[in-house]
Amino acid sequence: MMVGQALRDQQRELTVFRNRLMLSGLFIIVAFAILLGRFSWLQVVQREYYHTLAEANRISVLPVVPNRGLILDRNGEVLAANYSAYTLEITPSKVANVERAIDDLSTLIDVTPRDRRRFKKLQEESKNFESLPIRTRLTEEEVARFAVNRFRFPGFEIKARLFRSYPQGEVASHAIGYIGRINDADVKRIDDQGLTANYKGTDHIGKLGIEGAYEKELHGVTGSEQVEIDAGGRAIRALARSEPLSGNNLAVTLDLKLQKIAEEAFLDYKGALVAIDPKTGEILALVSKPGFDPNLFVDGIDPQNWDALNNSPDKPLNNRALRGQYPPGSTIKPFMALAALEYRKRSTEFTISDPGYFALPGVAHRYRDWKKEGHGLVNMHKSIVISCDTYYYGLANELGIDAIHSFLTRFGFGARTGIDIDGELAGLAPSQEWKWQRFKQKWYAGDTVSVGIGQGYLLTTPLQLAAATATIANGGVPVHPHLLRSVQDAKTQELRSPAAAAANDAAARPENIAFVRAAMVDVTRPGGTAAQAGQGAAYAMAAKTGTAQVVGMKQGERYDEKRLKQEHWDHALLIAFAPADDPKLALAILVENGKHGGSTAGPIARVVFDYYLTGKKPAGKVTLDPGAGDEEHD
């Protein structure tokens, strides 16, 4: 019986073993079937998909950044160009300790404190996975030294990059602008414009001036390159390449030589100058002093230089020509005279007797003329030549502020000129409505009297003054100031000019313009306030000087510069055009704290006209004498 029980137990165990073996076998078959199915799915059904992924791991598509277009002056002189140089870059996400790695790197390659500050600033502004430059413009020796030790520096890479160069330094810096590293605001703007793909691989973008306004023309079209890479991510060979298309070259209206002479004429004074062709609106010189070196921004400006520029009391980054809003002083008087003629408020022969002041009826306060004893009998012609304040106090009161506002807007005051670079401010041509909206106060007759001599609420930019002067110079046709002259297509090499602006109606009648022009010519002759500027010129010049207060005087108090700091001295202004009979150049000049338009701004104008009209260059430094003014303070 025990033997039978043992046989049955053995049979049961054998059956259990066979069942287990069958289950194991079935499991193995199912597992292999699953593997075979998965293998078939991956290798047959999904073959194309994974083949593409494999190729993507083996082949990297890299953007090829296009050459940025050149910027040239009207005579072909280079204002902005490119050059290629080696850059050592770090991808912070691939480096365990960036600071320590840079310390190690400095034993091989010189890394200055400026390089470290710039890198830190870029790191704060950028994403961690971006490649950032720690050293630019490496020498061949430095490249070779790093290549030998590259294994020690994961996350470091040498790249050949294009750099922008501004060979003229500070000259015309506010007109040309600069390029800077792309920031978040730039990324959003690029994305909104649908240009993200075209900026792959691009680190910099135009920020100001021509560089910023014509970024689309200058940037070009990004190409691509397919490169085979190894497991370490290093390029083995190039497989295919789509060539980039360089940006278009731009010719601007500036005359570089004229620009240099105009800037040098300012000496150490702050201020602005705008020179316009009155027939075309082309800007031949645009000066804002002091300027800045745009080369500082190419590699990413370091905090030390940025603080020096941004916090300087001289405000070198402020484009005074477009953004400086100043009282025009007596330079507004030719336009006031035109308003009187156009509105028939006064004839050319209307004469006043100037006692040296003007008083509103029933008001005790006297508005002083710059000449204490007065000018005697003054008609309109003489009022412009000698810059009689009393004449324009009364004229402004007769016209009224709303008529003045309406007329000045014909010449572009109180509105942007529409120049083709960004940043322009509109100035201010006040009116009763403006004052009420701004201050909730009524307009007073005394406000109008001040506007009559270019003070009070009236504000203009040097660009506005230049455009308005050009309008008088060309017979009354408003001009449209612009800096772009032509675009050279990078692909076809064809030149195209910007579309001409629509012609505007004349701002004043020809006979009235002619009268004012004749008076402005006499301003530069003996007895006129700009006689010093016109003396001995080989051509006839027309001009109007001006002086604009920086600080107000109390009632009855006279201006005494000896009691004031230099930064509180009056501004000197001058508008002019020449030759008077066939104007080829119109100017507006502002010298901050220059005191007198005739003796400070006048010599600058003479230098500019002499060079442009006769080719004559100043023999030495220009003499600016703020203390020798023919015109006193408005």
Side-chain angles (χ1 to χ4, degrees):
M1 186 174 177
M2 291 184 62
V3 173
Q5 182 66 34
L7 288 173
R8 284 194 298 272
D9 291 342
Q10 187 177 4
Q11 185 67 32
R12 188 182 302 110
E13 289 175 3
L14 184 58
T15 301
V16 171
F17 174 75
R18 285 173 178 168
N19 291 338
R20 289 177 177 175
L21 185 61
M22 289 176 64
L23 288 173
S24 298
L26 182 61
F27 175 78
I28 292 172
I29 290 170
V30 171
F32 271 101
I34 292 173
L35 288 174
L36 182 61
R38 182 62 176 166
F39 180 79
S40 299
W41 173 261
L42 294 177
Q43 292 294 322
V44 179
V45 180
Q46 295 284 77
R47 179 183 181 282
E48 289 300 323
Y49 173 74
Y50 286 102
H51 180 267
T52 302
L53 289 181
E55 285 297 303
N57 290 332
R58 183 179 71 88
I59 299 173
S60 179
V61 179
L62 305 176
V64 181
V65 179
N67 289 343
R68 193 170 179 83
L70 306 180
I71 301 177
L72 313 169
D73 88 331
R74 65 189 301 112
N75 300 312
E77 297 287 342
V78 177
L79 303 177
N82 309 303
Y83 68 94
S84 180
Y86 290 111
T87 300
L88 181 56
E89 303 192 6
I90 305 174
T91 303
S93 60
K94 297 180 179 180
V95 182
N97 189 315
V98 174
E99 290 294 331
R100 184 181 302 169
I102 293 175
D103 290 339
D104 293 342
L105 176 69
S106 63
T107 62
L108 292 175
I109 295 174
D110 183 32
V111 180
T112 66
R114 179 183 182 278
D115 294 326
R116 291 175 182 262
R117 289 195 301 269
R118 183 190 61 210
F119 179 83
K120 187 174 181 180
K121 182 174 183 291
L122 292 175
Q123 193 174 8
E124 291 170 353
E125 296 174 349
S126 305
K127 307 297 181 184
N128 197 42
F129 54 82
E130 289 182 345
S131 176
L132 305 174
I134 181 63
R135 261 293 309 277
T136 58
R137 288 172 267 193
L138 274 70
T139 65
E140 296 286 347
E141 181 182 347
E142 288 173 324
V143 171
R145 195 182 305 142
F146 177 80
V148 173
N149 293 273
R150 187 183 185 283
F151 67 93
R152 295 170 48 196
F153 299 97
F156 286 62
E157 187 176 2
I158 286 181
K159 296 182 179 180
R161 289 192 180 271
L162 287 173
F163 288 88
R164 199 63 158 168
S165 170
Y166 301 97
Q168 309 304 331
E170 290 190 9
V171 177
S173 55
H174 288 94
I176 300 166
Y178 62 87
I179 65 168
R181 197 166 183 87
I182 293 175
N183 56 32
D184 290 341
D186 296 322
V187 170
K188 185 179 185 306
R189 185 168 62 254
I190 290 168
D191 185 56
D192 291 343
Q193 295 172 352
L195 299 174
T196 302
N198 198 38
Y199 277 81
K200 292 290 185 183
T202 300
D203 297 322
H204 296 81
I205 194 170
K207 295 289 187 177
L208 289 176
I210 290 291
E211 290 277 29
Y214 291 98
E215 169 65 23
K216 288 184 180 178
E217 296 281 2
L218 291 164
H219 179 263
V221 179
T222 299
S224 63
E225 186 175 39
Q226 290 186 353
V227 179
E228 187 175 4
I229 58 176
D230 62 15
R234 290 182 290 271
I236 300 173
R237 60 186 175 125
L239 301 177
R241 182 180 175 93
S242 171
E243 293 295 336
L245 180 62
S246 297
N248 297 328
N249 294 335
L250 304 185
V252 297
T253 60
L254 297 176
D255 183 322
L256 178 59
K257 292 180 181 178
L258 182 69
Q259 178 81 25
K260 286 182 176 179
I261 283 176
E263 291 194 17
E264 291 168 0
F266 272 80
L267 303 180
D268 294 328
Y269 281 94
K270 302 186 291 292
L273 176 149
V274 180
I276 295 182
D277 183 331
K279 295 181 176 68
T280 65
E282 292 185 347
I283 295 177
L284 301 168
L286 191 147
V287 175
S288 178
K289 293 282 288 183
F292 61 92
D293 185 355
N295 290 296
L296 291 172
F297 293 87
V298 172
D299 293 344
I301 190 167
D302 65 280
Q304 191 173 33
N305 278 317
W306 173 250
D307 287 342
L309 288 174
N310 202 40
N311 298 322
S312 169
D314 292 337
K315 295 180 171 51
L317 294 176
N318 181 32
N319 188 342
R320 288 169 164 84
L322 272 66
R323 300 184 61 79
Q325 300 183 108
Y326 307 90
S330 293
T331 61
I332 204 66
K333 291 174 181 175
F335 304 96
M336 291 294 297
L338 276 171
L341 295 175
E342 288 290 307
Y343 292 142
R344 293 182 170 84
K345 286 290 185 178
R346 287 187 179 178
S347 70
T348 58
E349 296 307 317
F350 180 87
T351 302
I352 68 163
S353 178
D354 174 22
Y357 64 87
F358 171 80
L360 288 165
V363 179
H365 175 67
R366 292 179 173 182
Y367 297 88
R368 299 187 318 272
D369 193 286
W370 67 263
K371 189 174 184 180
K372 186 177 181 181
E373 63 275 21
H375 296 278
L377 296 178
V378 180
N379 61 17
M380 186 177 288
H381 180 92
K382 185 178 179 180
S383 74
I384 295 173
V385 174
I386 62 173
S387 197
C388 176
D389 292 336
T390 304
Y391 187 95
Y392 291 95
Y393 290 140
L395 174 57
N397 187 51
E398 291 175 36
L399 285 167
I401 190 59
D402 287 340
I404 294 172
H405 166 84
S406 178
F407 185 76
L408 291 182
T409 57
R410 295 190 198 177
F411 285 82
F413 294 106
R416 295 178 179 87
T417 66
I419 188 174
D420 52 342
I421 59 175
D422 295 332
E424 181 186 10
L425 295 181
L428 175 61
S431 64
Q432 292 190 67
E433 181 183 3
W434 168 83
K435 188 178 181 184
W436 180 256
Q437 290 183 350
R438 178 68 176 82
F439 298 110
K440 301 301 180 189
Q441 295 177 1
K442 65 176 291 188
W443 187 271
Y444 296 102
D447 298 331
T448 307
V449 170
S450 296
V451 169
I453 62 165
Q455 295 287 168
Y457 293 115
L458 182 62
L459 296 173
T460 62
T461 67
L463 177 62
Q464 285 177 331
L465 273 176
T469 304
T471 300
I472 291 179
N474 69 26
V477 180
V479 300
H480 301 275
H482 59 278
L483 281 162
L484 181 64
R485 193 166 195 233
S486 64
V487 178
Q488 183 182 41
D489 190 279
K491 189 173 183 179
T492 65
Q493 301 302 304
E494 293 180 355
L495 292 177
R496 52 183 166 86
S497 299
N504 292 344
D505 295 334
R509 291 191 290 274
E511 61 271 22
N512 295 335
I513 292 284
F515 174 83
V516 169
R517 282 175 52 154
M520 292 176 69
V521 171
D522 285 347
V523 170
T524 67
R525 291 173 174 166
T529 57
Q532 179 181 343
Q535 184 178 7
Y539 47 85
M541 182 196 312
K544 183 67 194 80
T545 58
T547 303
Q549 287 184 351
V550 174
V551 293
M553 297 290 106
K554 296 179 181 178
Q555 184 172 342
E557 184 181 10
R558 294 196 68 86
Y559 178 87
D560 183 1
E561 66 196 33
K562 295 177 182 177
R563 296 187 294 106
L564 297 172
K565 296 179 180 179
Q566 184 173 349
E567 59 264 31
H568 294 152
W569 290 356
D570 290 346
H571 296 325
L573 299 101
L574 183 133
I575 58 174
F577 56 87
D581 57 346
D582 183 21
K584 293 180 172 59
L585 192 66
L587 299 177
I589 301 171
L590 178 131
V591 182
E592 289 189 3
N593 314 120
K595 297 197 294 187
H596 300 288
S599 57
T600 309
I604 297 174
R606 177 62 180 273
V607 167
V608 172
F609 282 133
D610 276 356
Y611 173 75
Y612 190 72
L613 299 177
T614 69
K616 177 184 175 183
K617 295 182 180 181
K621 279 192 173 183
V622 180
T623 301
L624 306 183
D625 187 2
D630 296 312
E631 180 183 355
E632 294 296 330
H633 305 273
D634 295 334

